[in-house]
Amino acid sequence: ERILILKTMRISGLKPGQKVTINRISYEYLGIQKVRIPNIGEAEKRVFKATGVDSYKHYNLIDGDKTLKSEKIKLVKKTVRTK
């Protein structure tokens, strides 16, 4: 696998199921989902699920305009090996 850093790609440009790394931890982007927030209720957030661990990372919807680079998110792209 190869890690790509795209300067202009925004969080909103990610598609559900795409693999990324955030602070060297692998995540899968799940899209926009309703999330329960203690003492507040429910809110829609951009949700990332850690690979192999029951851990999640949430971003506010307005953060979709931020670039992947500014948030230290790296897109993981599978490389196809040719023989």
Side-chain angles (χ1 to χ4, degrees):
E1 292 181 333
R2 214 173 51 167
I3 297 176
L4 299 176
I5 302 174
L6 302 174
K7 292 180 183 177
T8 57
M9 186 168 179
R10 302 193 183 287
I11 295 174
S12 61
L14 291 172
K15 305 282 187 260
Q18 279 188 291
K19 309 277 188 213
V20 298
T21 59
I22 305 171
N23 297 328
R24 298 186 187 135
I25 300 171
S26 294
Y27 288 88
E28 178 180 348
Y29 180 59
L30 300 179
I32 297 172
Q33 298 182 351
K34 286 189 178 181
V35 175
R36 181 172 285 253
I37 302 171
N39 300 322
I40 295 176
E42 286 188 348
E44 286 192 331
K45 301 270 189 178
R46 296 180 186 277
V47 180
F48 293 83
K49 183 182 185 318
T51 305
V53 186
D54 194 28
S55 178
Y56 295 85
K57 195 159 194 65
H58 303 112
Y59 286 87
N60 291 321
L61 293 182
I62 200 161
D63 292 337
D65 286 336
K66 294 182 179 178
T67 62
L68 298 183
K69 186 176 182 179
S70 72
E71 297 302 302
K72 297 183 174 80
I73 298 173
K74 297 178 182 178
L75 186 61
V76 176
K77 184 173 182 175
K78 292 184 179 179
T79 56
V80 178
R81 294 186 180 190
T82 57
K83 294 182 178 180

